[in-house]
PDB file of all heavy atoms in Angstrom:
ATOM      1  N   ILE A   1      68.054 -78.787 114.575  1.00  0.00           N
ATOM      2  CA  ILE A   1      68.584 -78.115 113.391  1.00  0.00           C
ATOM      3  C   ILE A   1      69.506 -79.076 112.648  1.00  0.00           C
ATOM      4  O   ILE A   1      70.236 -79.855 113.267  1.00  0.00           O
ATOM      5  CB  ILE A   1      69.321 -76.803 113.756  1.00  0.00           C
ATOM      6  CG1 ILE A   1      69.628 -75.984 112.498  1.00  0.00           C
ATOM      7  CG2 ILE A   1      70.567 -77.081 114.576  1.00  0.00           C
ATOM      8  CD1 ILE A   1      70.095 -74.557 112.799  1.00  0.00           C
ATOM      9  N   SER A   2      69.434 -79.040 111.331  1.00  0.00           N
ATOM     10  CA  SER A   2      70.285 -79.904 110.516  1.00  0.00           C
ATOM     11  C   SER A   2      70.528 -79.243 109.169  1.00  0.00           C
ATOM     12  O   SER A   2      69.863 -78.267 108.821  1.00  0.00           O
ATOM     13  CB  SER A   2      69.638 -81.281 110.322  1.00  0.00           C
ATOM     14  OG  SER A   2      68.408 -81.154 109.638  1.00  0.00           O
ATOM     15  N   THR A   3      71.483 -79.785 108.442  1.00  0.00           N
ATOM     16  CA  THR A   3      71.803 -79.222 107.132  1.00  0.00           C
ATOM     17  C   THR A   3      71.933 -80.322 106.087  1.00  0.00           C
ATOM     18  O   THR A   3      72.222 -81.481 106.405  1.00  0.00           O
ATOM     19  CB  THR A   3      73.120 -78.427 107.156  1.00  0.00           C
ATOM     20  OG1 THR A   3      74.167 -79.288 107.607  1.00  0.00           O
ATOM     21  CG2 THR A   3      73.035 -77.218 108.051  1.00  0.00           C
ATOM     22  N   ASP A   4      71.715 -79.944 104.856  1.00  0.00           N
ATOM     23  CA  ASP A   4      72.027 -80.763 103.694  1.00  0.00           C
ATOM     24  C   ASP A   4      72.994 -79.922 102.872  1.00  0.00           C
ATOM     25  O   ASP A   4      72.576 -79.035 102.126  1.00  0.00           O
ATOM     26  CB  ASP A   4      70.764 -81.101 102.904  1.00  0.00           C
ATOM     27  CG  ASP A   4      71.044 -82.022 101.726  1.00  0.00           C
ATOM     28  OD1 ASP A   4      72.196 -82.024 101.223  1.00  0.00           O
ATOM     29  OD2 ASP A   4      70.125 -82.726 101.298  1.00  0.00           O
ATOM     30  N   ASN A   5      74.281 -80.177 103.048  1.00  0.00           N
ATOM     31  CA  ASN A   5      75.280 -79.321 102.413  1.00  0.00           C
ATOM     32  C   ASN A   5      75.209 -79.393 100.892  1.00  0.00           C
ATOM     33  O   ASN A   5      75.496 -78.409 100.209  1.00  0.00           O
ATOM     34  CB  ASN A   5      76.674 -79.710 102.906  1.00  0.00           C
ATOM     35  CG  ASN A   5      76.870 -79.373 104.370  1.00  0.00           C
ATOM     36  OD1 ASN A   5      76.298 -78.420 104.872  1.00  0.00           O
ATOM     37  ND2 ASN A   5      77.673 -80.164 105.055  1.00  0.00           N
ATOM     38  N   ALA A   6      74.834 -80.539 100.374  1.00  0.00           N
ATOM     39  CA  ALA A   6      74.740 -80.676  98.919  1.00  0.00           C
ATOM     40  C   ALA A   6      73.666 -79.759  98.343  1.00  0.00           C
ATOM     41  O   ALA A   6      73.759 -79.328  97.193  1.00  0.00           O
ATOM     42  CB  ALA A   6      74.450 -82.122  98.539  1.00  0.00           C
ATOM     43  N   LYS A   7      72.651 -79.459  99.158  1.00  0.00           N
ATOM     44  CA  LYS A   7      71.555 -78.605  98.706  1.00  0.00           C
ATOM     45  C   LYS A   7      71.651 -77.193  99.277  1.00  0.00           C
ATOM     46  O   LYS A   7      70.758 -76.378  99.047  1.00  0.00           O
ATOM     47  CB  LYS A   7      70.212 -79.225  99.111  1.00  0.00           C
ATOM     48  CG  LYS A   7      69.932 -80.573  98.471  1.00  0.00           C
ATOM     49  CD  LYS A   7      68.577 -81.107  98.917  1.00  0.00           C
ATOM     50  CE  LYS A   7      68.268 -82.450  98.273  1.00  0.00           C
ATOM     51  NZ  LYS A   7      66.964 -82.990  98.716  1.00  0.00           N
ATOM     52  N   ASN A   8      72.722 -76.908 100.037  1.00  0.00           N
ATOM     53  CA  ASN A   8      72.860 -75.591 100.695  1.00  0.00           C
ATOM     54  C   ASN A   8      71.601 -75.244 101.481  1.00  0.00           C
ATOM     55  O   ASN A   8      71.106 -74.109 101.420  1.00  0.00           O
ATOM     56  CB  ASN A   8      73.152 -74.495  99.669  1.00  0.00           C
ATOM     57  CG  ASN A   8      74.567 -74.574  99.130  1.00  0.00           C
ATOM     58  OD1 ASN A   8      75.476 -75.027  99.804  1.00  0.00           O
ATOM     59  ND2 ASN A   8      74.751 -74.146  97.902  1.00  0.00           N
ATOM     60  N   THR A   9      71.088 -76.222 102.188  1.00  0.00           N
ATOM     61  CA  THR A   9      69.815 -76.048 102.887  1.00  0.00           C
ATOM     62  C   THR A   9      69.982 -76.366 104.364  1.00  0.00           C
ATOM     63  O   THR A   9      70.649 -77.335 104.733  1.00  0.00           O
ATOM     64  CB  THR A   9      68.737 -76.948 102.272  1.00  0.00           C
ATOM     65  OG1 THR A   9      68.547 -76.578 100.905  1.00  0.00           O
ATOM     66  CG2 THR A   9      67.416 -76.806 103.011  1.00  0.00           C
ATOM     67  N   VAL A  10      69.351 -75.545 105.196  1.00  0.00           N
ATOM     68  CA  VAL A  10      69.298 -75.797 106.631  1.00  0.00           C
ATOM     69  C   VAL A  10      67.836 -76.021 107.001  1.00  0.00           C
ATOM     70  O   VAL A  10      66.932 -75.382 106.457  1.00  0.00           O
ATOM     71  CB  VAL A  10      69.900 -74.624 107.439  1.00  0.00           C
ATOM     72  CG1 VAL A  10      69.148 -73.326 107.207  1.00  0.00           C
ATOM     73  CG2 VAL A  10      69.962 -74.952 108.915  1.00  0.00           C
ATOM     74  N   TYR A  11      67.619 -76.960 107.903  1.00  0.00           N
ATOM     75  CA  TYR A  11      66.274 -77.325 108.333  1.00  0.00           C
ATOM     76  C   TYR A  11      66.110 -77.047 109.832  1.00  0.00           C
ATOM     77  O   TYR A  11      67.072 -77.119 110.594  1.00  0.00           O
ATOM     78  CB  TYR A  11      66.010 -78.806 108.081  1.00  0.00           C
ATOM     79  CG  TYR A  11      66.199 -79.234 106.650  1.00  0.00           C
ATOM     80  CD1 TYR A  11      67.389 -79.823 106.238  1.00  0.00           C
ATOM     81  CD2 TYR A  11      65.189 -79.053 105.707  1.00  0.00           C
ATOM     82  CE1 TYR A  11      67.573 -80.215 104.924  1.00  0.00           C
ATOM     83  CE2 TYR A  11      65.368 -79.454 104.384  1.00  0.00           C
ATOM     84  CZ  TYR A  11      66.560 -80.030 104.006  1.00  0.00           C
ATOM     85  OH  TYR A  11      66.744 -80.419 102.690  1.00  0.00           O
ATOM     86  N   LEU A  12      64.882 -76.789 110.218  1.00  0.00           N
ATOM     87  CA  LEU A  12      64.537 -76.702 111.628  1.00  0.00           C
ATOM     88  C   LEU A  12      63.314 -77.573 111.848  1.00  0.00           C
ATOM     89  O   LEU A  12      62.204 -77.213 111.434  1.00  0.00           O
ATOM     90  CB  LEU A  12      64.260 -75.263 112.062  1.00  0.00           C
ATOM     91  CG  LEU A  12      64.034 -75.085 113.559  1.00  0.00           C
ATOM     92  CD1 LEU A  12      65.328 -75.366 114.330  1.00  0.00           C
ATOM     93  CD2 LEU A  12      63.528 -73.677 113.881  1.00  0.00           C
ATOM     94  N   GLN A  13      63.521 -78.730 112.453  1.00  0.00           N
ATOM     95  CA  GLN A  13      62.426 -79.615 112.807  1.00  0.00           C
ATOM     96  C   GLN A  13      61.893 -79.170 114.158  1.00  0.00           C
ATOM     97  O   GLN A  13      62.637 -79.162 115.145  1.00  0.00           O
ATOM     98  CB  GLN A  13      62.906 -81.064 112.867  1.00  0.00           C
ATOM     99  CG  GLN A  13      61.834 -82.050 113.296  1.00  0.00           C
ATOM    100  CD  GLN A  13      60.705 -82.174 112.285  1.00  0.00           C
ATOM    101  OE1 GLN A  13      60.950 -82.177 111.091  1.00  0.00           O
ATOM    102  NE2 GLN A  13      59.480 -82.268 112.769  1.00  0.00           N
ATOM    103  N   MET A  14      60.619 -78.822 114.198  1.00  0.00           N
ATOM    104  CA  MET A  14      60.010 -78.303 115.413  1.00  0.00           C
ATOM    105  C   MET A  14      58.932 -79.275 115.870  1.00  0.00           C
ATOM    106  O   MET A  14      57.932 -79.469 115.170  1.00  0.00           O
ATOM    107  CB  MET A  14      59.416 -76.913 115.151  1.00  0.00           C
ATOM    108  CG  MET A  14      60.418 -75.918 114.587  1.00  0.00           C
ATOM    109  SD  MET A  14      59.763 -74.250 114.421  1.00  0.00           S
ATOM    110  CE  MET A  14      58.513 -74.518 113.168  1.00  0.00           C
ATOM    111  N   ASP A  15      59.146 -79.890 117.006  1.00  0.00           N
ATOM    112  CA  ASP A  15      58.196 -80.842 117.581  1.00  0.00           C
ATOM    113  C   ASP A  15      57.656 -80.298 118.899  1.00  0.00           C
ATOM    114  O   ASP A  15      58.226 -79.380 119.489  1.00  0.00           O
ATOM    115  CB  ASP A  15      58.887 -82.190 117.808  1.00  0.00           C
ATOM    116  CG  ASP A  15      59.393 -82.810 116.517  1.00  0.00           C
ATOM    117  OD1 ASP A  15      58.658 -82.767 115.509  1.00  0.00           O
ATOM    118  OD2 ASP A  15      60.523 -83.348 116.520  1.00  0.00           O
ATOM    119  N   SER A  16      56.584 -80.893 119.352  1.00  0.00           N
ATOM    120  CA  SER A  16      55.958 -80.494 120.628  1.00  0.00           C
ATOM    121  C   SER A  16      55.761 -78.983 120.690  1.00  0.00           C
ATOM    122  O   SER A  16      56.096 -78.325 121.673  1.00  0.00           O
ATOM    123  CB  SER A  16      56.823 -80.961 121.808  1.00  0.00           C
ATOM    124  OG  SER A  16      57.002 -82.353 121.782  1.00  0.00           O
ATOM    125  N   LEU A  17      55.220 -78.439 119.634  1.00  0.00           N
ATOM    126  CA  LEU A  17      55.062 -76.990 119.545  1.00  0.00           C
ATOM    127  C   LEU A  17      54.081 -76.470 120.589  1.00  0.00           C
ATOM    128  O   LEU A  17      53.095 -77.135 120.927  1.00  0.00           O
ATOM    129  CB  LEU A  17      54.617 -76.602 118.139  1.00  0.00           C
ATOM    130  CG  LEU A  17      55.746 -76.616 117.098  1.00  0.00           C
ATOM    131  CD1 LEU A  17      55.191 -76.687 115.687  1.00  0.00           C
ATOM    132  CD2 LEU A  17      56.630 -75.390 117.265  1.00  0.00           C
ATOM    133  N   LYS A  18      54.400 -75.268 121.063  1.00  0.00           N
ATOM    134  CA  LYS A  18      53.594 -74.606 122.080  1.00  0.00           C
ATOM    135  C   LYS A  18      53.066 -73.279 121.525  1.00  0.00           C
ATOM    136  O   LYS A  18      53.672 -72.713 120.613  1.00  0.00           O
ATOM    137  CB  LYS A  18      54.448 -74.315 123.317  1.00  0.00           C
ATOM    138  CG  LYS A  18      55.129 -75.528 123.914  1.00  0.00           C
ATOM    139  CD  LYS A  18      56.043 -75.109 125.054  1.00  0.00           C
ATOM    140  CE  LYS A  18      56.777 -76.292 125.653  1.00  0.00           C
ATOM    141  NZ  LYS A  18      57.664 -75.881 126.765  1.00  0.00           N
ATOM    142  N   PRO A  19      51.990 -72.756 122.081  1.00  0.00           N
ATOM    143  CA  PRO A  19      51.498 -71.450 121.617  1.00  0.00           C
ATOM    144  C   PRO A  19      52.560 -70.360 121.685  1.00  0.00           C
ATOM    145  O   PRO A  19      52.590 -69.470 120.812  1.00  0.00           O
ATOM    146  CB  PRO A  19      50.332 -71.171 122.570  1.00  0.00           C
ATOM    147  CG  PRO A  19      49.832 -72.527 122.950  1.00  0.00           C
ATOM    148  CD  PRO A  19      51.068 -73.375 123.048  1.00  0.00           C
ATOM    149  N   GLU A  20      53.436 -70.433 122.665  1.00  0.00           N
ATOM    150  CA  GLU A  20      54.491 -69.414 122.784  1.00  0.00           C
ATOM    151  C   GLU A  20      55.570 -69.520 121.715  1.00  0.00           C
ATOM    152  O   GLU A  20      56.447 -68.658 121.630  1.00  0.00           O
ATOM    153  CB  GLU A  20      55.129 -69.449 124.177  1.00  0.00           C
ATOM    154  CG  GLU A  20      55.601 -70.813 124.628  1.00  0.00           C
ATOM    155  CD  GLU A  20      54.574 -71.517 125.507  1.00  0.00           C
ATOM    156  OE1 GLU A  20      53.364 -71.512 125.170  1.00  0.00           O
ATOM    157  OE2 GLU A  20      54.999 -72.108 126.536  1.00  0.00           O
ATOM    158  N   ASP A  21      55.513 -70.569 120.897  1.00  0.00           N
ATOM    159  CA  ASP A  21      56.418 -70.672 119.753  1.00  0.00           C
ATOM    160  C   ASP A  21      55.915 -69.854 118.562  1.00  0.00           C
ATOM    161  O   ASP A  21      56.622 -69.737 117.548  1.00  0.00           O
ATOM    162  CB  ASP A  21      56.591 -72.128 119.321  1.00  0.00           C
ATOM    163  CG  ASP A  21      57.291 -72.976 120.362  1.00  0.00           C
ATOM    164  OD1 ASP A  21      58.274 -72.491 120.958  1.00  0.00           O
ATOM    165  OD2 ASP A  21      56.851 -74.124 120.580  1.00  0.00           O
ATOM    166  N   THR A  22      54.725 -69.311 118.673  1.00  0.00           N
ATOM    167  CA  THR A  22      54.175 -68.500 117.593  1.00  0.00           C
ATOM    168  C   THR A  22      55.045 -67.276 117.351  1.00  0.00           C
ATOM    169  O   THR A  22      55.324 -66.505 118.269  1.00  0.00           O
ATOM    170  CB  THR A  22      52.739 -68.057 117.939  1.00  0.00           C
ATOM    171  OG1 THR A  22      51.901 -69.213 118.007  1.00  0.00           O
ATOM    172  CG2 THR A  22      52.194 -67.109 116.872  1.00  0.00           C
ATOM    173  N   ALA A  23      55.491 -67.128 116.105  1.00  0.00           N
ATOM    174  CA  ALA A  23      56.390 -66.030 115.750  1.00  0.00           C
ATOM    175  C   ALA A  23      56.673 -66.090 114.257  1.00  0.00           C
ATOM    176  O   ALA A  23      56.305 -67.061 113.582  1.00  0.00           O
ATOM    177  CB  ALA A  23      57.694 -66.138 116.529  1.00  0.00           C
ATOM    178  N   VAL A  24      57.335 -65.048 113.775  1.00  0.00           N
ATOM    179  CA  VAL A  24      57.927 -65.107 112.444  1.00  0.00           C
ATOM    180  C   VAL A  24      59.339 -65.657 112.611  1.00  0.00           C
ATOM    181  O   VAL A  24      60.112 -65.147 113.428  1.00  0.00           O
ATOM    182  CB  VAL A  24      57.960 -63.727 111.767  1.00  0.00           C
ATOM    183  CG1 VAL A  24      58.642 -63.820 110.409  1.00  0.00           C
ATOM    184  CG2 VAL A  24      56.548 -63.173 111.613  1.00  0.00           C
ATOM    185  N   TYR A  25      59.645 -66.694 111.866  1.00  0.00           N
ATOM    186  CA  TYR A  25      60.950 -67.336 111.940  1.00  0.00           C
ATOM    187  C   TYR A  25      61.796 -66.880 110.752  1.00  0.00           C
ATOM    188  O   TYR A  25      61.353 -66.955 109.596  1.00  0.00           O
ATOM    189  CB  TYR A  25      60.784 -68.860 111.951  1.00  0.00           C
ATOM    190  CG  TYR A  25      60.310 -69.379 113.271  1.00  0.00           C
ATOM    191  CD1 TYR A  25      59.005 -69.141 113.710  1.00  0.00           C
ATOM    192  CD2 TYR A  25      61.162 -70.096 114.108  1.00  0.00           C
ATOM    193  CE1 TYR A  25      58.563 -69.597 114.940  1.00  0.00           C
ATOM    194  CE2 TYR A  25      60.735 -70.567 115.340  1.00  0.00           C
ATOM    195  CZ  TYR A  25      59.434 -70.310 115.751  1.00  0.00           C
ATOM    196  OH  TYR A  25      59.006 -70.767 116.971  1.00  0.00           O
ATOM    197  N   TYR A  26      63.016 -66.446 111.072  1.00  0.00           N
ATOM    198  CA  TYR A  26      63.923 -65.914 110.056  1.00  0.00           C
ATOM    199  C   TYR A  26      65.148 -66.811 109.932  1.00  0.00           C
ATOM    200  O   TYR A  26      65.799 -67.134 110.935  1.00  0.00           O
ATOM    201  CB  TYR A  26      64.384 -64.506 110.417  1.00  0.00           C
ATOM    202  CG  TYR A  26      63.287 -63.477 110.432  1.00  0.00           C
ATOM    203  CD1 TYR A  26      62.583 -63.204 111.595  1.00  0.00           C
ATOM    204  CD2 TYR A  26      62.964 -62.782 109.276  1.00  0.00           C
ATOM    205  CE1 TYR A  26      61.578 -62.258 111.614  1.00  0.00           C
ATOM    206  CE2 TYR A  26      61.957 -61.828 109.280  1.00  0.00           C
ATOM    207  CZ  TYR A  26      61.273 -61.578 110.452  1.00  0.00           C
ATOM    208  OH  TYR A  26      60.270 -60.641 110.474  1.00  0.00           O
ATOM    209  N   CYS A  27      65.470 -67.166 108.713  1.00  0.00           N
ATOM    210  CA  CYS A  27      66.714 -67.864 108.449  1.00  0.00           C
ATOM    211  C   CYS A  27      67.853 -66.856 108.473  1.00  0.00           C
ATOM    212  O   CYS A  27      67.690 -65.707 108.047  1.00  0.00           O
ATOM    213  CB  CYS A  27      66.626 -68.540 107.078  1.00  0.00           C
ATOM    214  SG  CYS A  27      68.091 -69.467 106.604  1.00  0.00           S
ATOM    215  N   TRP A  28      69.010 -67.275 108.950  1.00  0.00           N
ATOM    216  CA  TRP A  28      70.167 -66.393 109.101  1.00  0.00           C
ATOM    217  C   TRP A  28      71.427 -67.146 108.695  1.00  0.00           C
ATOM    218  O   TRP A  28      71.571 -68.337 108.943  1.00  0.00           O
ATOM    219  CB  TRP A  28      70.260 -65.942 110.559  1.00  0.00           C
ATOM    220  CG  TRP A  28      71.598 -65.457 110.991  1.00  0.00           C
ATOM    221  CD1 TRP A  28      72.189 -64.263 110.701  1.00  0.00           C
ATOM    222  CD2 TRP A  28      72.543 -66.171 111.805  1.00  0.00           C
ATOM    223  NE1 TRP A  28      73.418 -64.187 111.289  1.00  0.00           N
ATOM    224  CE2 TRP A  28      73.675 -65.341 111.970  1.00  0.00           C
ATOM    225  CE3 TRP A  28      72.544 -67.417 112.403  1.00  0.00           C
ATOM    226  CZ2 TRP A  28      74.780 -65.721 112.719  1.00  0.00           C
ATOM    227  CZ3 TRP A  28      73.632 -67.799 113.155  1.00  0.00           C
ATOM    228  CH2 TRP A  28      74.738 -66.950 113.297  1.00  0.00           C
ATOM    229  N   MET A  29      72.339 -66.385 108.074  1.00  0.00           N
ATOM    230  CA  MET A  29      73.633 -66.942 107.738  1.00  0.00           C
ATOM    231  C   MET A  29      74.716 -65.905 108.052  1.00  0.00           C
ATOM    232  O   MET A  29      74.552 -64.721 107.737  1.00  0.00           O
ATOM    233  CB  MET A  29      73.722 -67.313 106.251  1.00  0.00           C
ATOM    234  CG  MET A  29      75.128 -67.763 105.833  1.00  0.00           C
ATOM    235  SD  MET A  29      75.312 -68.024 104.059  1.00  0.00           S
ATOM    236  CE  MET A  29      74.501 -69.598 103.896  1.00  0.00           C
TER     237      MET A  29
END
C-alpha cells in the first residue's frame, strides 16, 4: 500500500495473486 498525497490517492499493488484473492475490493477512509 502506498499514497501520493499530492493527488489524494492511495494505491494497492497486488503481486503473486492467488484465486483466493478474488473479491470486491473497497477503498476506505
Side-chain angles (χ1 to χ4, degrees):
I1 191 168
S2 62
T3 57
D4 183 335
N5 292 329
K7 297 181 179 179
N8 287 331
T9 299
V10 61
Y11 303 98
L12 186 67
Q13 177 66 40
M14 305 185 294
D15 299 317
S16 302
L17 282 161
K18 304 175 182 180
E20 52 264 45
D21 294 318
T22 295
V24 177
Y25 285 71
Y26 295 91
C27 181
W28 159 75
M29 174 187 283

